[in-house]
Amino acid sequence: MRAWMIAVILIVATAALIFLLNSAFPDALQNDDNQMQLFASLGWLVLLGSSVVLRLRSRPGSSLRALAAWVLIFLVLVWVYAYRVEAMAIGQRLLAVLVPGHGYTTVSANSDGTVSGKGEMRFAVNRDGHYQVNARVNGTYVTFLVDTGATDVVLTMLDAQRIGFDPDKLRFTQRAETANGVVRAAPVTLDEIALGAIVIGHLPASVNEAPMSQSLLGMRFLNQLKSWRVENQMLILQQ
């Protein structure tokens, strides 16, 4: 009798759920695809409910514990889906703190439930108090040091080779004053430089002839943006 009572309760609960959902979304069941999905879901629910009833009859104690665990898992999954935008933002921010050069995109939910970026990137300060960014240059990832004191985007010779520039074809016709004196640089053009949601094409840059520890992302790139600022130890770039 207990098993039949549980089965009746499950059927009534399912019918009540369908009624509530249909009241909240009156047009949802007008779509044939939605109706097919509903019937398929009901079939799975009946199958699972039957197995639960049979198991409750044989081992009620362990079955109730397993049922409670599955209900808890289901509720957690529903919560994650409902707050997926916030969860994604928290996860991206944690990754940005652990790997400062990674950065993360500010995300928002569209009216149709999908997630989109705003063309904004945020980078956490590194241990040295500087800001590094991992950018995709002509399809190759390069780690830049953001330098507001640098006029150009300056590549090390090694990064220039990785991107695809032939050192033998570079013409070092520029002169630049650095802390180590005057150095020569070769002008180049980057087909595309992308930082997550931010993409800029045909950007002039230069390859430094002297050894450098890291490529520099200077004002020529920052001036292409709508805005950039430092706030709460975060570098915020917006296109």
Side-chain angles (χ1 to χ4, degrees), residues 6-205:
I6 293 174
V8 170
I9 291 173
L10 288 175
I11 294 173
V12 172
T14 302
L17 179 60
I18 294 173
F19 175 78
L20 291 174
L21 290 175
N22 188 49
S23 299
F25 307 98
D27 297 331
L29 293 181
Q30 301 300 321
N31 190 308
D32 293 338
D33 293 337
N34 291 344
Q35 292 179 6
M36 292 183 63
Q37 291 179 2
L38 175 62
F39 287 126
S41 300
L42 288 177
W44 279 108
L45 185 61
V46 170
L47 180 62
L48 292 174
S50 302
S51 63
V52 169
V53 170
L54 292 175
R55 186 173 177 83
L56 282 173
R57 294 184 63 180
S58 59
R59 303 177 62 183
S62 61
S63 299
L64 288 175
R65 288 193 296 270
L67 180 61
W70 279 110
V71 170
L72 180 60
I73 292 173
F74 174 76
L75 292 176
V76 169
L77 291 176
V78 170
W79 180 87
V80 170
Y81 178 78
Y83 294 94
R84 61 193 182 281
V85 175
E86 292 82 355
M88 183 181 298
I90 293 173
Q92 288 185 341
R93 179 151 191 168
L94 288 174
L95 183 59
V97 172
L98 295 174
V99 186
H102 176 75
Y104 68 96
T105 307
T106 303
V107 297
S108 61
N110 298 322
S111 58
D112 58 358
T114 60
V115 176
S116 66
K118 294 181 179 179
E120 181 177 286
M121 290 293 295
R122 297 180 176 231
F123 297 88
V125 66
N126 64 14
R127 296 180 180 179
D128 299 328
H130 299 108
Y131 292 97
Q132 290 179 318
V133 299
N134 293 332
R136 193 174 66 253
V137 183
N138 296 355
T140 301
Y141 281 95
V142 175
T143 300
F144 288 93
L145 177 68
V146 178
D147 187 358
T148 57
T151 303
D152 292 328
V153 175
V154 185
L155 299 171
T156 66
M157 185 64 71
L158 180 60
D159 284 340
Q161 289 179 274
R162 291 176 54 244
I163 293 171
F165 293 109
D166 187 350
D168 296 332
K169 295 182 180 180
L170 295 176
R171 297 295 178 262
F172 295 92
T173 57
Q174 296 179 342
R175 298 289 186 274
E177 293 186 4
T178 67
N180 297 323
V182 178
V183 298
R184 297 197 308 167
V188 295
T189 299
L190 306 179
D191 295 333
E192 181 182 272
I193 178 169
L195 282 74
I198 297 175
V199 180
I200 294 177
H202 304 291
L203 184 69

